[in-house]
Amino acid sequence: LTKRVSIKDIANKVGVSVASVSYVLNNKEKAGRVGKELAARIRKAATDLNYQPNLIARSLQSGRSWTIGLIVADISNPFFSNIARAVEDEASMHNYTVLFGSSDENAEKSQSLINTLIKRQVDALIIAPAEKTENQVRALRKINFPLVLIDRYFPAVETNSVRVDNFEASYRAVNHLFANGYRNISMVAYNTNLQHMTDRKEGFLKALKDHGMKAGKMSLLESSYEHLDTDMENIMRSALDKKTNAPDSFLFATNSLAVKGLKEISKRNIRVPDELGIVSFDESEALDFFYSPVTFINQNTTAIAKEAVNILMRQMENGRNTKTKIKPEQKIIDTTLVVRKSSGQKKMAP
Amino acid sequence: LTKRVSIKDIANKVGVSVASVSYVLNNKEKAGRVGKELAARIRKAATDLNYQPNLIARSLQSGRSWTIGLIVADISNPFFSNIARAVEDEASMHNYTVLFGSSDENAEKSQSLINTLIKRQVDALIIAPAEKTENQVRALRKINFPLVLIDRYFPAVETNSVRVDNFEASYRAVNHLFANGYRNISMVAYNTNLQHMTDRKEGFLKALKDHGMKAGKMSLLESSYEHLDTDMENIMRSALDKKTNAPDSFLFATNSLAVKGLKEISKRNIRVPDELGIVSFDESEALDFFYSPVTFINQNTTAIAKEAVNILMRQMENGRNTKTKIKPEQKIIDTTLVVRKSSGQKKMAP
DNA sequence: CTGAAAGCGCTTACAG
DNA sequence: CTGAAAGCGCTTACAG
């Protein structure tokens, strides 16, 4: 790698001090500084030498890296890659670049990513926190580190967060299924204690109750994240192959669960929606291409990402101007229930 | 944000020089340096103060940022988000972190991303280059910047690259369709001059020729990237609604094209594969869930990403040890044709 | 209008 | 065994 040209090289070439070069290149000649003619020569030299400022040096000096860290469960999951794209776009509008990492829902990995990103001096973090990382978030709050949680959140930790109303979204989905004639509704969720998932489950259970439907042992089915494939195979088999009192509809709590569940449904000769209704959280191509396009709860990933970045920008700006401690913001983004064929009117058994 | 603790704070607390602290924290006490007892005290102080080294300062000093830049067309495209994930994992094994950016197939945006990443002192770049960015790659080569192209490449530029044999993959796909009775095969591709796309088109045309099939004006259909939706609607309409001599099969050159194409096919009452055969490049959930699961050419994204990172690691290592200029590596990763229902035996018209 | 100097947090030859 | 000092590339108050 050939040696990069620095401000010093320009100074030498023009025969002037590095200070003058720096002022000119930062457009700070005002302040009664550097004549027009000299400024022009400096700029020309910079162009001629193809000078690119070393932002690392500038960061060390200024204490700002103009970098945001993004930690999600898995960047290859379409929900998160859509968020990543929107974070990238919004951050770049504010001259920030994004460093990312995938936690794999693992607390240790999450801690290690946070440490790495902080050592790299990111100015702020956007985190979709994994289970059991509550204390990691608390520690960040304690040092007053600019931070916003997305998707998931910890009710007991006062911090910025952007998410949807998961309880309400589930509740509404069940209402919809009920209105279309389904009476034996099952939810398939992850067996995690993360609050957003708990909210989805509780919204589901509350809706069952409000409609006078009982929650039996087939109502709330849970899969682990680590053994998704085998868990989902078992769950779907025991539900779909049940002789009596089998579920007549499913609410999937995430797109990853829906994908696995739909594959099991496809294997069997079940007519959707005639015999089985389906609703899922999250947008995904799988839902579009399932033979009976799947009704889904659309989370506006772009809005979530945008809002998260903007909260950080605003607070960092304020933090620089005032000494008063900043009050955390909790933002709820609206969801939309996109109704399609999979949850159409149930055909009653003859 | 509370002030971060530095090596100086530790030195003050223990009553020792920053040099000693630095040596200990870098496990360089050997070299006849710092007694065991002192080293222990320094380490304890570091832990007590919750010291995290400032990697930006270290980078400025060492000239290495331990950061890799990744530029793709769009991080929210599953092909690229899978690559991003694999790059992340492989890079992290070598203690590198990843900065990413999406070029949107736009040469100006690509240049701006390259500039940003270089100013941020990334040690190397992994780029899926957009059209008309050949000179950007040349400029990087000229300053001997560690670089590897993935997915796409420029035949006229000698540089590292990792990709598949696109010509061969297309050729094989056509062979497969031909063997299953299809004689009026269309390819749907992007209207770009990028070589990987040209290779796919040429493999297709060569196979037609070798099987004695003529390439008519319905054979090679091209969509723009910018107006994908409307272009694909038009392309598919004119092909599918043709009264005579309509295509009996499609080879889609990317998953994004396939998704749009399959939606148009779904709208019509066409039986796949009886009336229409389909093969696509790239893995995707859409292909799995199409009512007739789609045969696809699987590019091993993990292998591509891993290989790209490893080429960079190897060359940076060598670059540090020798003065001899490094020879570029071109690596071809094998593809697999995953045969499924959509390209099954064609039913002859009665 | 302009230069010399200090400093951001670190590493590492150089003296003792 | 240990400290003082230079330097990575930049910015910015301080003197002139």
Side-chain angles (χ1 to χ4, degrees):
Chain A
L1 181 55
T2 59
K3 179 91 175 59
R4 296 203 180 130
V5 357
S6 76
I7 223 176
K8 207 182 191 174
D9 299 317
I10 300 177
N12 285 342
K13 177 159 181 180
V14 182
V16 79
S17 77
V18 293
S20 298
V21 175
S22 173
Y23 279 110
V24 171
L25 264 27
N26 287 303
N27 298 313
K28 287 183 178 162
E29 317 105 284
K30 42 180 185 184
R33 190 122 201 132
V34 187
K36 279 213 157 186
E37 189 267 348
L38 217 203
R41 274 169 56 214
I42 289 174
R43 272 188 248 275
K44 174 152 192 328
T47 312
D48 289 351
L49 295 172
N50 189 25
Y51 171 70
Q52 304 270 37
N54 181 332
L55 263 36
I56 288 231
R58 189 179 287 171
S59 292
L60 180 58
Q61 212 290 138
S62 66
R64 297 182 71 182
S65 67
W66 294 91
T67 294
I68 291 181
L70 171 67
I71 300 178
V72 296
D74 180 1
I75 192 80
S76 70
N77 175 321
F79 178 77
F80 291 118
S81 68
N82 276 307
I83 286 197
R85 179 58 209 261
V87 166
E88 176 196 350
D89 289 346
E90 192 66 18
S92 112
M93 291 191 55
H94 297 272
N95 292 317
Y96 277 78
T97 304
V98 183
L99 275 169
F100 74 89
S102 305
S103 73
D104 287 325
E105 304 288 7
N106 177 310
E108 278 176 43
K109 232 189 137 189
S110 164
Q111 183 65 72
S112 145
L113 284 170
I114 291 175
N115 288 347
T116 302
L117 292 173
I118 286 198
K119 285 190 269 190
R120 288 187 190 278
Q121 307 299 113
V122 295
D123 292 332
L125 282 169
I126 298 177
I127 306 181
E131 206 176 11
K132 293 181 184 149
T133 60
E134 198 162 344
N135 283 333
Q136 298 171 20
V137 174
R138 276 217 181 80
L140 290 168
R141 282 293 296 157
K142 206 168 147 199
I143 59 171
N144 215 8
F145 196 93
L147 162 79
V148 53
L149 302 185
I150 54 171
D151 187 32
R152 301 90 178 275
Y153 71 110
F154 299 113
V157 185
E158 271 229 338
T159 185
N160 298 313
S161 72
V162 184
R163 56 181 180 90
V164 302
D165 186 338
N166 292 289
F167 180 95
E168 191 269 344
S170 272
Y171 192 94
R172 189 147 42 112
V174 174
N175 274 356
H176 166 70
L177 285 168
F178 186 86
N180 279 352
Y182 300 94
R183 292 296 177 270
N184 205 350
I185 309 174
S186 272
M187 177 171 201
V188 182
Y190 279 115
N191 68 348
T192 166
N193 290 321
L194 282 166
Q195 189 62 38
H196 76 303
M197 195 52 68
T198 304
D199 291 346
R200 290 178 193 185
K201 294 174 195 170
E202 288 182 350
F204 165 77
L205 292 172
K206 181 67 162 51
L208 287 197
K209 202 176 161 196
D210 287 357
H211 286 295
M213 294 182 278
K214 275 208 213 84
K217 67 169 183 290
M218 274 292 144
S219 296
L220 187 51
L221 306 167
E222 307 200 32
S223 165
S224 71
Y225 183 83
E226 306 79 41
H227 307 107
L228 177 61
D229 284 12
T230 52
D231 283 4
M232 281 302 290
E233 218 184 296
N234 292 333
I235 285 171
M236 297 306 289
R237 183 189 304 130
S238 65
L240 295 171
D241 300 347
K242 218 162 167 270
K243 298 294 178 211
T244 62
N245 214 19
D248 64 4
S249 52
F250 285 103
L251 169 58
F252 291 107
T254 74
N255 64 14
S256 47
L257 292 165
V259 165
K260 300 298 172 188
L262 292 175
K263 288 203 171 162
E264 292 300 320
I265 292 168
S266 294
K267 283 186 200 163
R268 293 160 173 84
N269 249 334
I270 305 174
R271 281 170 304 137
V272 173
D274 296 358
E275 299 175 298
L276 188 70
I278 302 176
V279 177
S280 176
F281 271 78
D282 305 336
E283 199 170 12
S284 123
E285 280 174 2
L287 305 187
D288 297 348
F289 278 95
F290 188 67
Y291 71 90
S292 178
V294 177
T295 296
F296 66 100
I297 295 157
N298 190 21
Q299 303 194 56
N300 189 337
T301 48
T302 306
I304 293 173
K306 254 184 132 150
E307 191 61 45
V309 172
N310 283 323
I311 287 176
L312 291 176
M313 293 300 141
R314 205 156 49 228
Q315 294 192 350
M316 288 195 286
E317 191 53 42
N318 286 346
R320 238 166 278 116
N321 297 334
T322 75
K323 282 282 154 206
T324 56
K325 197 156 177 175
I326 284 145
K327 174 160 349 106
E329 303 182 39
Q330 266 97 37
K331 187 91 185 179
I332 305 291
I333 305 290
D334 283 341
T335 58
T336 325
L337 182 70
V338 180
V339 176
R340 300 196 291 190
K341 199 174 165 195
S342 74
S343 60
Q345 190 66 43
K346 182 186 177 185
K347 286 257 182 29
M348 295 306 168
Chain B
L1 181 56
T2 59
K3 178 90 174 60
R4 295 202 181 132
V5 355
S6 75
I7 223 177
K8 207 182 192 173
D9 300 316
I10 300 177
N12 285 342
K13 178 160 178 177
V14 182
V16 80
S17 77
V18 293
S20 297
V21 175
S22 173
Y23 279 110
V24 170
L25 263 28
N26 288 301
N27 299 312
K28 288 182 178 164
E29 314 106 284
K30 43 180 182 180
R33 192 127 199 128
V34 188
K36 279 213 157 184
E37 189 267 348
L38 218 204
R41 273 169 57 213
I42 289 173
R43 272 189 247 275
K44 178 158 189 322
T47 311
D48 289 351
L49 295 172
N50 190 26
Y51 170 71
Q52 303 270 38
N54 182 331
L55 263 36
I56 288 231
R58 190 180 288 171
S59 291
L60 180 59
Q61 213 291 139
S62 66
R64 298 182 69 182
S65 67
W66 293 91
T67 294
I68 291 181
L70 172 67
I71 299 177
V72 296
D74 180 1
I75 192 82
S76 70
N77 175 321
F79 179 76
F80 291 119
S81 67
N82 276 307
I83 286 196
R85 179 58 209 259
V87 167
E88 177 197 350
D89 288 346
E90 192 66 18
S92 113
M93 290 190 56
H94 297 272
N95 292 317
Y96 276 79
T97 304
V98 182
L99 275 169
F100 74 89
S102 305
S103 73
D104 286 325
E105 303 289 4
N106 176 310
E108 278 176 43
K109 232 188 138 192
S110 164
Q111 183 66 71
S112 144
L113 284 170
I114 290 174
N115 289 347
T116 303
L117 292 173
I118 286 197
K119 285 190 268 191
R120 290 187 189 278
Q121 309 296 115
V122 295
D123 293 332
L125 282 168
I126 298 177
I127 305 180
E131 208 178 7
K132 291 179 187 154
T133 59
E134 197 161 345
N135 283 334
Q136 297 172 19
V137 175
R138 276 216 184 79
L140 290 168
R141 283 291 297 157
K142 205 167 147 201
I143 59 171
N144 215 7
F145 195 94
L147 163 78
V148 54
L149 302 184
I150 54 171
D151 189 28
R152 301 89 178 278
Y153 70 111
F154 299 114
V157 186
E158 270 230 336
T159 184
N160 298 314
S161 72
V162 184
R163 56 180 180 89
V164 302
D165 186 337
N166 292 289
F167 180 96
E168 190 269 346
S170 272
Y171 192 95
R172 190 146 43 112
V174 174
N175 274 357
H176 166 70
L177 285 168
F178 186 87
N180 279 352
Y182 300 94
R183 293 294 178 270
N184 204 352
I185 309 174
S186 272
M187 179 173 199
V188 182
Y190 280 115
N191 67 349
T192 167
N193 290 322
L194 282 166
Q195 189 62 38
H196 76 303
M197 195 55 68
T198 304
D199 291 346
R200 289 177 195 186
K201 296 174 194 170
E202 288 183 350
F204 165 76
L205 293 171
K206 181 68 161 51
L208 287 196
K209 201 175 163 200
D210 287 358
H211 286 295
M213 296 182 278
K214 275 208 214 84
K217 67 169 183 292
M218 275 291 144
S219 296
L220 188 50
L221 305 167
E222 307 201 29
S223 164
S224 72
Y225 183 81
E226 306 78 41
H227 307 109
L228 177 62
D229 284 12
T230 54
D231 283 3
M232 281 303 289
E233 219 184 297
N234 292 333
I235 285 172
M236 296 306 290
R237 183 190 304 130
S238 65
L240 294 172
D241 301 349
K242 216 161 171 270
K243 299 293 180 210
T244 61
N245 215 19
D248 65 4
S249 51
F250 285 102
L251 170 58
F252 292 106
T254 73
N255 64 13
S256 48
L257 293 165
V259 165
K260 301 298 173 189
L262 292 175
K263 288 202 172 164
E264 292 301 321
I265 292 169
S266 294
K267 284 186 197 161
R268 293 158 173 84
N269 250 335
I270 305 173
R271 282 171 304 137
V272 174
D274 295 356
E275 299 175 299
L276 188 70
I278 302 174
V279 177
S280 175
F281 272 78
D282 304 335
E283 198 169 13
S284 124
E285 279 174 3
L287 305 187
D288 296 348
F289 278 95
F290 188 67
Y291 70 90
S292 178
V294 177
T295 296
F296 66 100
I297 294 156
N298 190 22
Q299 304 194 54
N300 189 338
T301 48
T302 306
I304 293 173
K306 255 182 130 151
E307 191 61 44
V309 172
N310 283 322
I311 286 176
L312 291 175
M313 293 301 141
R314 204 158 48 228
Q315 294 191 351
M316 289 194 288
E317 191 53 42
N318 287 346
R320 238 166 277 117
N321 298 334
T322 75
K323 281 282 154 207
T324 56
K325 198 155 179 178
I326 284 144
K327 173 161 348 106
E329 303 182 38
Q330 267 98 36
K331 187 91 185 181
I332 305 290
I333 304 289
D334 283 340
T335 58
T336 324
L337 183 69
V338 180
V339 176
R340 300 197 290 189
K341 198 173 163 194
S342 74
S343 60
Q345 189 66 42
K346 182 185 178 187
K347 285 259 180 25
M348 295 307 168

